[in-house]
């Protein structure tokens, strides 16, 4: 039954958890709503799942012997309940909380000052263009996705004048957002690269180790963050990469490191580059926040471009979830920069063999939106302005939260809130303090103390500051 609701949710219904919540959510009466209502009635009436779960002893429908046997010992009876995802599960818990003051700072998703999700103006315009174009069809895309989108995505991250692009040494495939791009890249490396170890920063985005392990790579960590300084453990990083085996893969956050908000300086990036090239370590960039760190797409791509400018090889996973607000469209790209056009084309032929049995080909809509924006000078410019506005709002939230804590005299040095970069603040709050804030203040965040600054607004800063103040003073 839950799955049958999904198509209705796509039409704007809130996630229903019960049949009655569902029925009451469809009370308005536009033509569309009436049709959906009829469909909902049909689904509810016809649902064998609902009927067979009836608790009513007077139920006139007598289950057949096979169906009761089915319930008594399901072939899945041994299955244990899995824990919720540490990041996405925060939203699940938040949704269940009836408190009017609840605040979701878990997942990295941008909200407006009014606390609402934002569809960018340029995205609306691009979608309008797409809808108006009657020549557009819904045929399958090729395995590697929309060719125009792939070209534009490579240009966005590598730079329009990138010699690697001009020399046709880059292969780009459209994938299912950042996560799908990382997974396809991981599986490609597991099949074809000579070193199966990937080094990921400690800490990193919680999904990285799972994605790469399931892709068939062996995951190790390198030191990245120093809790004592709340900054980069640069010495530790150099030592760990320096003692990694030659050829090992190294996952690098292109900018706005998640969860720490701590990025190397350009000088430090240069040292990392030299070390990695001297040991033939293979860079795999995760670029999920281009434009969100500095507000400039080019500045945020600088580290990646440094590694491409030296003529060496690398992989880059891109996501448009955050910087175009296309979270649910699942639009991303994997680029592999190679030494020659010939190698790049052979690499692409193998990427197709990774993708085809996984999901066959990627979806068309999100990539068409991105391509429409990237190829149109006016839309592109307008996008950069909207992106900058999002980045600036996050920066202003940092300042406001910092000021609010200072005004309360909250013990501790909170300057890292304004120093850190990107969507998140890695507060330094421990899991006990986080649990307290959720329990007492209905503030939802990941247990590692990360808060999504993009989920905060001027209206909610005081509440968060109260919660942090209480947590810090109650649990020193
Ligand atoms: N890389 C990083 C570093 C990252 O933070 C995310 C998402 C992704 C890749 C994948 O995003 P995609 O939507 O597949 O393009 N991070 C946020 C959302 C999530 O966990 O899925 C988050 O950390 O809140």
């Amino acid at each position: 039954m839950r799955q049958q609701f999904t198509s209705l949710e796509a039409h704007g219904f809130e996630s229903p958890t019960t049949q009655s919540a569902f029925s009451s959510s469809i009370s308005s009466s536009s033509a569309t709503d009436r049709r959906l209502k009829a469909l909902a009635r049909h689904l509810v009436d016809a649902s064998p799942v609902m009927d067979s779960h009836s608790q009513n002893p007077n139920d006139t429908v007598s289950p057949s012997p096979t169906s009761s046997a089915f319930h008594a010992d399901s072939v899945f009876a041994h299955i244990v309940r899995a824990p919720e995802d540490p990041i996405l599960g925060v939203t699940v818990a938040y949704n269940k909380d009836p408190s009017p003051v609840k605040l979701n700072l878990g997942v990295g998703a941008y909200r407006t000052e009014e606390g609402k999700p934002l569809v960018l103006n340029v995205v609306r315009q691009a979608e309008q263009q797409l809808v108006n174009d009657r020549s557009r069809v819904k045929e399958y895309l090729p395995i590697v996705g929309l060719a125009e989108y792939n070209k534009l995505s490579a240009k966005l991250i590598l730079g329009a004048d990138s010699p690697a692009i001009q020399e046709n040494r880059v292969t780009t495939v459209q994938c299912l957002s950042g996560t799908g791009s990382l997974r396809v890249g991981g599986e490609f490396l597991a099949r074809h690269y000579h070193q199966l170890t990937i080094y990921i920063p400690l800490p990193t985005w919680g999904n990285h180790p799972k994605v790469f392990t399931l892709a068939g790579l062996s995951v190790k960590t390198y030191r990245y963050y120093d809790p004592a300084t709340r900054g980069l453990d640069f010495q530790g990083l150099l030592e760990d990469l320096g003692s990694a085996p030659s050829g090992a893969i190294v996952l690098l956050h292109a900018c706005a490191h998640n969860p720490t908000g701590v990025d190397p300086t350009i000088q430090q990036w240069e040292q990392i580059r030299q070390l990695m090239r001297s040991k033939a370590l293979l860079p795999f960039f995760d670029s999920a926040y281009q434009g969100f760190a500095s507000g400039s797409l080019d500045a945020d791509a600088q580290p990646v471009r440094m590694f491409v400018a030296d003529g060496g090889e690398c992989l880059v996973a891109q996501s448009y979830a955050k910087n175009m607000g296309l979270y649910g469209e699942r639009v991303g790209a994997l680029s592999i920069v190679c030494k020659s056009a010939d190698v790049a084309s052979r690499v692409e032929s193998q990427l197709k063999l990774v993708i085809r049995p996984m999901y066959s080909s990627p979806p068309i809509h999100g990539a068409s939106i991105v391509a429409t924006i990237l190829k149109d000078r006016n839309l592109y410019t307008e996008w950069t302005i909207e992106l900058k506005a999002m980045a600036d709002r996050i920066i202003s939230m940092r300042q406001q939260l910092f000021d609010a804590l200072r005004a309360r005299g909250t013990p501790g040095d909170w300057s890292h809130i304004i120093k850190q970069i990107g969507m998140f603040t890695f507060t330094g709050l421990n899991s006990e303090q986080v649990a307290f804030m959720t329990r007492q203040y209905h503030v939802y965040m990941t247990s590692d103390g990360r808060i999504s600054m993009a989920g905060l607004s001027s209206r909610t800063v005081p509440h968060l500051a109260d919660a942090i103040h209480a947590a810090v003073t109650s649990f020193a």
Side-chain angles (χ1 to χ4, degrees):
M1 195 60 213
R2 188 65 191 84
Q3 277 194 337
Q4 289 167 329
F5 282 150
T6 314
S7 62
L8 296 164
E9 285 164 16
H11 288 84
F13 290 110
E14 288 183 356
S15 288
T17 47
T18 64
Q19 190 182 339
S20 64
F22 177 64
S23 310
S24 67
S25 72
I26 50 169
S27 52
S28 60
S29 61
S30 71
T32 316
D33 283 353
R34 272 200 306 279
R35 275 177 41 222
L36 288 170
K37 221 172 184 172
L39 179 57
R41 259 199 311 275
H42 168 80
L43 290 175
V44 170
D45 291 349
S47 166
V49 181
M50 285 273 177
D51 290 348
S52 60
H53 278 178
S54 169
Q55 299 294 307
N56 183 353
N58 301 322
D59 204 329
T60 50
V61 183
S62 51
S64 70
T66 21
S67 79
S68 54
F70 176 81
H71 287 293
D73 43 16
S74 162
V75 292
F76 303 117
H78 62 287
I79 292 195
V80 292
R81 182 172 307 281
E84 290 284 357
D85 180 82
I87 298 175
L88 303 184
V90 173
T91 302
V92 175
Y94 168 85
N95 286 338
K96 286 186 191 150
D97 186 339
S99 167
V101 298
K102 66 180 178 174
L103 189 54
N104 186 4
L105 306 176
V107 70
Y110 185 83
R111 296 285 176 268
T112 62
E113 259 297 291
E114 291 72 45
K116 296 275 189 308
L118 178 69
V119 178
L120 297 188
N121 212 356
V122 280
V123 167
R124 296 255 190 239
Q125 289 180 55
E127 285 190 312
Q128 202 57 59
Q129 280 187 25
L130 295 172
V131 169
N132 291 346
D133 182 354
R134 302 296 296 179
S135 71
R136 287 180 51 79
V137 292
K138 302 286 187 190
E139 289 293 283
Y140 289 128
L141 284 179
I143 297 172
V144 295
L146 195 64
E148 188 180 39
Y149 162 89
N150 288 334
K151 280 211 180 69
L152 292 160
S153 294
K155 265 171 68 176
L156 184 71
I157 187 72
L158 303 182
D161 53 358
S162 167
I165 296 178
Q166 278 153 16
E167 293 155 17
N168 277 323
R169 311 192 265 113
V170 187
T171 172
T172 305
V173 293
Q174 178 193 334
C175 296
L176 306 187
S177 215
T179 310
S181 308
L182 293 165
R183 179 67 186 257
V184 168
E187 299 228 358
F188 168 81
L189 292 171
R191 282 192 205 182
H192 301 288
Y193 188 58
H194 67 92
Q195 243 295 350
L196 296 186
T197 305
I198 184 164
Y199 282 77
I200 61 174
L202 187 66
T204 191
W205 179 48
N207 214 16
H208 276 150
K210 301 171 201 172
V211 166
F212 293 122
T213 303
L214 287 171
L217 297 173
S218 142
V219 174
K220 292 209 167 115
T221 59
Y222 62 89
R223 277 172 284 170
Y224 188 85
Y225 178 76
D226 181 356
T229 62
R230 294 206 172 110
L232 186 68
D233 181 358
F234 190 52
Q235 215 42 51
L237 179 151
L238 292 177
E239 277 170 33
D240 289 350
L241 295 188
S243 53
S246 167
I249 309 155
V250 179
L251 190 278
L252 301 161
H253 293 229
C255 71
H257 182 274
N258 176 11
T260 66
V262 173
D263 284 349
T265 63
I266 286 295
Q267 291 73 28
Q268 288 170 330
W269 272 117
E270 176 53 23
Q271 273 178 268
I272 296 169
R273 189 194 65 76
Q274 284 175 16
L275 172 67
M276 284 183 59
R277 290 311 192 198
S278 74
K279 298 202 57 185
L281 301 175
L282 182 66
F284 191 160
F285 281 98
D286 181 355
S287 177
Y289 300 94
Q290 189 183 357
F292 257 93
S294 66
S296 155
L297 288 157
D298 288 322
D300 288 358
Q302 203 49 39
V304 177
R305 291 178 191 177
M306 287 166 62
F307 278 78
V308 177
D310 67 14
E313 294 171 302
C314 69
L315 290 82
V316 189
Q318 279 170 277
S319 167
Y320 291 96
K322 330 278 170 161
N323 60 13
M324 264 192 209
L326 292 174
Y327 306 90
E329 294 290 357
R330 312 308 294 144
V331 47
L334 171 72
S335 286
I336 306 189
V337 180
C338 307
K339 286 267 167 98
S340 72
D342 179 45
V343 172
S345 98
R346 281 183 281 133
V347 165
E348 179 162 316
S349 72
Q350 289 294 340
L351 285 172
K352 285 156 75 171
L353 299 193
V354 173
I355 293 168
R356 171 65 167 151
M358 207 191 282
Y359 55 82
S360 190
S361 63
I364 196 167
H365 187 66
S368 305
I369 296 172
V370 173
T372 304
I373 294 170
L374 294 184
K375 74 180 174 197
D376 180 301
R377 190 188 291 266
N378 292 334
L379 287 180
Y380 182 88
T381 307
E382 202 176 323
W383 173 45
T384 60
I385 295 166
E386 287 193 83
L387 181 56
K388 177 84 167 60
M390 288 195 285
D392 284 349
R393 202 187 77 73
I394 295 172
I395 291 167
S396 117
M397 285 305 112
R398 292 186 179 282
Q399 190 64 48
Q400 288 184 33
L401 180 62
F402 175 72
D403 292 345
L405 290 173
R406 227 180 15 191
R408 281 161 182 73
T410 309
D413 173 10
W414 296 94
S415 60
H416 56 289
I417 295 179
I418 39 185
K419 283 189 210 134
Q420 290 172 358
I421 296 162
M423 242 181 182
F424 304 106
T425 289
F426 204 45
T427 57
L429 294 164
N430 62 36
S431 58
E432 199 180 18
Q433 292 167 325
V434 171
F436 166 86
M437 286 166 60
T438 306
R439 211 170 46 242
Q440 300 291 327
Y441 286 82
H442 307 273
V443 172
Y444 289 80
M445 53 196 278
T446 52
S447 60
D448 59 1
R450 183 191 87 165
I451 57 179
S452 170
M453 299 307 284
L456 210 52
S457 69
S458 307
R459 190 175 48 82
T460 52
V461 162
H463 181 66
L464 176 61
D466 288 344
I468 293 177
H469 186 86
V472 170
T473 46
S474 311
F475 305 87

